[in-house]
Amino acid sequence: MSKENERRELFKALWKIANEERGGSGSTPWDLKQYIFGTLFYRFISENLIHYINLQFELNYTDISDEDAEIQKQAIVEEKGFFIYPTQLFCNVIKKINNQNFKDKLNEEIPKIFNSIEQTCIGTKSENDFAGLWSEFDFNNIKLGQTIMARNSEIAKLFSSVNNLPLGNFQNNTIDLFGDAYEYLMNMYAGSIGKTGGDFFTPQEVAELLAKITLVDKNSVNKVYDPCCGSGGLLLKFAKIIGVENVKKGFYGQEKDLTVYNLCRMNMFLHNINYEKFNIVHDNTLLKPSQSHKDEQPFEVIVSNPPYSVHWDGDSDPILINDERFSAAGVLAPKSKADLAFVMHCLSWLSTNGTAAIVEFPGVLYRGGAEQKIRKYLVDNNFIECIIQLPSNLFFGTSISTCIIILKKSKKEAKTLFIDASNEFRSETNSNKLTTENIERILKWYKNKENVEHICTYVDNAKIEENDYNLSVNTYVSKQDIRETIDIDELNKEIDLTVKKITMLRNDINEIIKTEIKPELKN
């Protein structure tokens, strides 16, 4: 079977699972996402470990005793970051799951297994990467069912469904199918749950554009960072474009939502990025930036799609007022609109030779007050390289248009590029989408920095100052007038001709009335 056919079969199976897993309380697939992803992840690390041990030690790990496996436990944890006893492997749990006695105790047995796996990481370098990964795999959640028996039955059904997924043989280089499965599920959930989806998932084509913008003239990067990493899609796009080995020191991200934070870490593993290659932290980036990330900054590449216009403490917090990430601008982003606070954070942690590409709501480009002062700081210090206006309706759960702000600290010219890419899309049933051709055109305009009528213009920063630091693309790139041109003289001639025809017709009608109808009235 071809790779494409493998994917199609996999996606059909995933669609079936997601729509059938509705628990015992009319739950939606979104309500049970952590169970689907958690089970998929459990199968992945089991097969990953089996493959590694069988190659390293030339044995069939699924068949040996837990006591024999214990001998190599420490060495395996040092290499893989985790350890699973043979009896705890996904495939061996599947063999027991049809046994009613075992099935009735799933609410006890599965948590024991997950806890055991996490325990093997305590005190090791991988501890933070595995801690709490299944924390929301909760057997007491009534969305699974009203009784323990119903919940156990639901989990048993889910395990069997995940076991039947056509994910290929780990030894036959089909490992990417686990990553494909994850991305497909994320895409499906984000497209079906409205606004919530947009909070953690950036469409793949937008992620590709952001990554390629930051990779112009680069085949490798030092570190990649996303301060609002969601499920990790933006970070992983670099692995797909240039390869994991060409992100030299790894992938760094922070996410404040616990569920999504766990999904992000799973996503890293499912794309075969081992624990030593990523550092994902759970907390609010603006209020509590990761100390480990602070120690690692500056970053050569930063990409982000932060939440739009969220509230934050702003200038009511004296710590934030004096925070070096924000203080340089002399003012903080408004409490009701933290958008530019994310931009300032990215700028602060960006290396001298680095590039940051950040998706933002266009209001940040023209609103007054504190936001205007922050824009003044960014323009006067020549930190903004480019503003790209994107089409509307690209993102899940919202039809608003968005823009990309591109930051650099070592620009050669005091100029800013403005690109109007609002017409670069293919219209689909419920949304718009960037095609490969759209992405390549936008990248060409970005690289060339040439003036293209109605598309892009390279503006002196002095002109931006003259416009009170308004950064809206339509201030500098004029829209093409697609209205039909009307020749007034020709129109007047047509009107005169029409009037003459109407007059002639009216005269003809009067003549008919005069000669035919009136004589009849006389009689």
Side-chain angles (χ1 to χ4, degrees):
M1 183 183 292
S2 71
K3 184 72 74 175
E4 214 38 59
N5 285 334
E6 277 186 322
R7 284 189 172 89
R8 274 195 290 270
E9 290 302 310
L10 173 61
F11 294 165
K12 281 198 305 189
L14 287 166
W15 177 265
K16 185 178 179 182
I17 290 176
N19 281 284
E20 285 183 350
E21 292 300 324
R22 297 189 180 273
S25 305
S27 305
T28 66
W30 173 248
D31 293 326
L32 303 179
K33 65 188 178 305
Q34 63 269 36
Y35 299 98
I36 296 175
F37 283 118
T39 306
L40 180 67
F41 176 66
Y42 174 36
R43 175 180 167 180
F44 170 80
I45 61 172
S46 291
E47 294 186 13
N48 183 299
L49 190 66
I50 291 168
H51 179 59
Y52 169 76
I53 292 175
N54 288 357
L55 282 179
Q56 287 291 112
F57 302 101
E58 297 182 349
L59 50 81
N60 187 351
Y61 188 63
T62 59
D63 294 336
I64 70 172
S65 69
D66 288 356
E67 291 73 21
D68 289 341
E70 181 84 31
I71 298 169
Q72 298 297 334
K73 177 180 175 181
Q74 185 175 344
I76 292 168
V77 171
E78 287 178 4
E79 177 63 28
K80 300 300 294 180
F82 66 96
F83 182 78
I84 306 174
Y85 287 99
T87 57
Q88 299 173 335
L89 292 167
F90 180 82
C91 60
N92 285 334
V93 169
I94 287 294
K95 290 177 183 177
K96 295 183 285 185
I97 214 159
N98 289 326
N99 180 299
Q100 193 62 46
N101 289 332
F102 183 78
K103 186 176 177 180
D104 288 344
K105 295 180 180 179
L106 278 180
N107 61 308
E108 299 173 10
E109 297 298 329
I110 301 302
K112 281 181 187 176
I113 292 172
F114 291 165
N115 184 60
S116 173
I117 297 170
E118 288 186 27
Q119 289 291 318
T120 65
C121 309
I122 292 177
T124 73
K125 294 178 181 178
S126 63
E127 179 176 355
N128 292 334
D129 299 313
F130 277 88
L133 269 175
W134 291 283
S135 61
E136 294 186 89
F137 204 103
D138 180 12
F139 274 89
N140 295 315
N141 189 341
I142 62 169
K143 289 180 179 179
L144 284 172
Q146 294 293 333
T147 65
I148 291 176
M149 184 177 295
R151 296 194 282 271
N152 282 337
S153 178
E154 194 67 28
I155 292 298
K157 185 173 73 172
L158 175 60
F159 269 54
S160 295
S161 296
V162 170
N163 179 58
N164 292 330
L165 282 175
L167 288 164
N169 188 321
F170 220 90
Q171 299 177 10
N172 294 333
N173 298 317
T174 54
I175 184 172
D176 58 314
L177 287 177
F178 279 95
D180 289 344
Y182 190 98
E183 288 177 14
Y184 177 82
L185 283 169
M186 275 295 180
N187 189 74
M188 186 185 68
Y189 285 138
S192 64
I193 62 176
K195 185 179 183 300
T196 311
D199 289 343
F200 70 88
F201 188 82
T202 302
Q204 290 294 310
E205 60 274 10
V206 178
E208 181 177 343
L209 176 60
L210 291 173
K212 287 185 173 179
I213 284 171
T214 62
L215 288 172
V216 168
D217 298 326
K218 293 179 180 179
N219 295 316
S220 65
V221 294
N222 190 13
K223 289 171 284 192
V224 178
Y225 171 65
D226 183 349
C228 310
C229 63
S231 57
L234 281 174
L235 295 172
L236 288 166
K237 187 56 69 174
F238 290 85
K240 287 200 169 185
I241 294 174
I242 59 175
V244 175
E245 69 281 2
N246 289 314
V247 181
K248 304 295 185 183
K249 294 188 178 179
F251 305 82
Y252 295 77
Q254 187 161 339
E255 172 55 45
K256 70 176 183 177
D257 183 285
L258 178 61
T259 299
V260 181
Y261 160 68
N262 287 335
L263 293 178
C264 182
R265 290 186 293 162
M266 290 182 188
N267 201 6
M268 292 290 155
F269 285 113
L270 287 167
H271 281 84
N272 206 33
I273 297 175
N274 209 11
Y275 74 94
E276 76 278 359
K277 197 77 174 181
F278 71 84
N279 183 330
I280 308 298
V281 176
H282 174 229
D283 219 325
N284 186 313
T285 297
L286 295 183
L287 304 183
K288 295 181 180 179
S290 163
Q291 184 58 50
S292 64
H293 293 172
K294 191 173 183 179
D295 294 340
E296 290 287 343
Q297 61 93 15
F299 294 98
E300 183 183 356
V301 166
I302 298 177
V303 286
S304 192
N305 177 20
Y308 307 143
S309 298
V310 294
H311 289 252
W312 75 311
D313 293 346
D315 59 14
S316 65
D317 185 338
I319 295 176
L320 293 176
I321 292 173
N322 295 296
D323 193 314
E324 61 184 10
R325 295 174 296 160
F326 314 118
S327 59
V331 64
L332 272 66
K335 293 178 185 177
S336 62
K337 301 177 182 68
D339 308 81
L340 288 182
F342 288 108
V343 172
M344 289 295 293
H345 169 80
C346 290
L347 176 67
S348 176
W349 285 18
L350 183 65
S351 68
T352 305
N353 66 333
T355 304
I358 310 155
V359 177
E360 288 286 3
F361 174 67
V364 304
L365 303 177
Y366 58 79
R367 291 189 296 233
E371 290 182 308
Q372 183 189 38
K373 292 177 181 177
I374 295 172
R375 292 196 303 272
K376 180 181 187 307
Y377 167 76
L378 294 171
V379 173
D380 287 351
N381 287 278
N382 203 28
F383 291 136
I384 298 181
E385 182 184 38
C386 181
I387 306 289
I388 302 174
Q389 180 64 53
L390 293 175
S392 60
N393 206 25
L394 282 181
F395 290 82
F396 298 105
T398 178
S399 61
I400 62 171
S401 60
T402 52
C403 64
I404 300 174
I405 298 176
I406 303 170
L407 305 175
K408 280 197 173 182
K409 287 185 174 179
S410 55
K411 289 168 58 183
K412 295 178 181 178
E413 299 179 279
K415 301 179 80 172
T416 302
L417 179 66
F418 291 89
I419 299 175
D420 184 356
S422 58
N423 294 318
E424 292 294 321
F425 65 89
R426 181 182 72 212
S427 183
E428 297 193 341
T429 306
N430 297 316
S431 63
N432 294 327
K433 183 175 182 178
L434 293 176
T435 65
T436 301
E437 292 76 18
N438 297 142
I439 292 171
E440 290 308 313
R441 274 195 292 272
I442 295 169
L443 286 170
K444 181 184 73 173
W445 295 326
Y446 171 65
K447 292 175 188 176
N448 292 344
K449 291 182 171 58
E450 296 174 349
N451 293 324
V452 179
E453 190 175 13
H454 307 306
I455 299 293
C456 53
T457 183
Y458 202 27
V459 174
D460 287 322
N461 288 346
K463 186 172 182 181
I464 299 174
E465 182 181 0
E466 290 173 10
N467 286 312
D468 295 326
Y469 298 96
N470 185 327
L471 293 174
S472 296
V473 171
N474 60 17
T475 300
Y476 306 95
V477 180
S478 61
K479 289 280 187 183
Q480 185 176 4
D481 190 348
I482 59 174
R483 294 174 299 177
E484 182 183 357
T485 303
I486 299 174
D487 186 326
I488 298 299
D489 291 336
E490 190 63 34
L491 181 61
N492 282 331
K493 288 178 183 179
E494 290 181 12
I495 292 173
D496 287 342
L497 182 59
T498 302
V499 170
K500 287 178 182 178
K501 288 180 178 180
I502 292 172
T503 301
M504 289 174 62
L505 182 59
R506 187 173 288 143
N507 289 339
D508 288 344
I509 293 171
N510 287 338
E511 189 63 32
I512 291 170
I513 293 172
K514 182 178 178 182
T515 58
E516 296 183 15
I517 300 178
K518 286 189 177 181
E520 290 180 9
L521 291 173
K522 288 178 181 180
N523 293 331

